[in-house]
Amino acid sequence: MENNPNIHPESQLSPEAIETLSDLHDGFNIIQATDCTPNILSRQFRISYGVGLEAQNTAMTAALGDSGEVLAGAATIESADSAALSELLEHKPTFFTIDTSILSDELRAASSLFDADNAGAILRVAFTGSSIYGSKIDSFPAIKNNEVVSRVLVTKRHESDHRSKEEIEKSLNYVTLPSQVALTEDSVIAAVRFVEDDGQLKSITQSELDDWLDRYEKAGLDVGNDISTKDESLDNFILYRGALHWCDGDVLAARPLDPQETASKVEAMRNKLQHFVKVASS
């Protein structure tokens, strides 16, 4: 969407976005995801502002600029960047570059390791069932190369895990979105492609399930333990290029399985996911 400075911002928003803005404008709290404070914000920033709601609001407003002030209720819609605000309010994940003065060392390092153009956060308006936080902004550490945005995942490198960078990367790419891996002395860092999706999956086809189980077995990674037949949707999966991919950030910390464990895990996952297979109409 192009931003024409001579057009009132509201005229560039869809009716749904305008209604959402109206709902959010009064008393809207910007809440960060739990992985944001340690992985996005610098130590100096956290010393100055702490890790509570005030720090989160300050960081997000800094990242969002005028749009953040609008959502926090501290300014009027006329001061918002209409294109960015429109993307945010229409629930599209939006990448915002964060100034290096409040950027964590980990995210700056990831940007360098993967030769990224910018480092910052992916922000997405989310709605919850909470009576306190009916709406929030989900945020994810991220880097951007040209137009490709990748979520940055970091986990501790365990002494017992002797896999090479190539082996870890190969396993990840069987089950999650396209990923690159870098190793440091004590950490594993991954840049995982972030793509827009059509919402939470409520059903899958048998062929999608069979393809996923085949790749899951080849990966040999212990992911998906929180899937339940009582779930109403498969919120940790995404359909990408016609195939299921695991998109939860826990994928990087998943432990490798031995062959015997893998067989039992595949069977358990088959039983859980069969519940979501839609029956073809006759």
Side-chain angles (χ1 to χ4, degrees), residues 72-281:
T76 63
I77 189 172
E78 285 85 352
S79 65
D81 178 287
S82 59
L85 184 59
S86 177
E87 280 190 274
L88 195 63
L89 293 178
E90 290 177 337
H91 319 296
K92 298 176 181 177
T94 308
F95 177 83
F96 286 88
T97 300
I98 295 181
D99 187 272
T100 54
S101 64
I102 63 171
L103 200 64
S104 71
D105 291 340
E106 293 85 354
L107 198 46
R108 274 202 296 268
S111 180
S112 174
L113 286 168
F114 297 110
D115 196 25
D117 301 318
N118 300 104
I122 301 167
L123 304 181
R124 177 178 59 192
V125 171
F127 298 91
T128 73
S130 168
S131 59
I132 300 175
Y133 304 122
S135 306
K136 66 177 183 177
I137 291 182
D138 276 341
S139 49
F140 309 95
I143 55 177
K144 188 173 185 179
N145 282 308
N146 296 318
E147 294 305 309
V148 176
V149 176
S150 299
R151 183 178 176 183
V152 173
L153 303 176
V154 182
T155 191
K156 184 178 180 181
R157 188 178 182 185
H158 297 287
E159 293 181 2
S160 59
D161 188 356
H162 301 296
R163 292 177 298 165
S164 67
K165 178 185 85 70
E166 289 76 17
E167 289 171 326
I168 297 172
E169 196 170 274
K170 183 178 180 180
S171 290
L172 280 180
N173 278 290
Y174 276 125
V175 292
T176 195
L177 295 163
S179 304
Q180 290 180 284
V181 170
L183 300 179
T184 66
E185 185 176 343
D186 57 1
S187 298
V188 181
I189 305 172
V192 181
R193 180 85 55 86
F194 197 93
V195 300
E196 292 185 23
D197 62 83
D198 295 323
Q200 296 179 347
L201 293 172
K202 294 189 176 181
S203 66
I204 55 177
T205 66
Q206 186 63 52
S207 61
E208 287 166 351
L209 173 56
D210 292 341
D211 173 71
W212 161 253
L213 292 173
D214 178 61
R215 288 183 286 111
Y216 176 66
E217 183 175 11
K218 290 175 180 176
L221 294 176
D222 190 18
V223 299
N225 293 311
D226 59 345
I227 301 172
S228 169
T229 56
K230 295 181 180 179
D231 291 342
E232 295 182 358
S233 65
L234 295 169
D235 56 348
N236 286 329
F237 281 99
I238 188 172
L239 266 180
Y240 176 68
R241 295 182 176 175
L244 287 172
H245 292 78
W246 187 256
C247 60
D248 193 276
D250 65 0
V251 66
L252 188 62
R255 67 182 180 88
L257 300 170
D258 62 40
Q260 186 174 353
E261 281 184 302
T262 299
S264 63
K265 288 283 185 177
V266 169
E267 190 58 31
M269 183 167 282
R270 182 189 303 277
N271 293 334
K272 290 178 181 178
L273 293 184
Q274 198 68 45
H275 169 76
F276 295 94
V277 173
K278 58 185 176 185
V279 179
S281 57

Side-chain angles (χ1 to χ4, degrees), residues 16-26 89:
E16 294 79 9
I18 293 173
E19 182 179 355
T20 303
L21 176 63
S22 177
D23 292 340
L24 298 183
H25 187 73
D26 295 325
L89 293 178

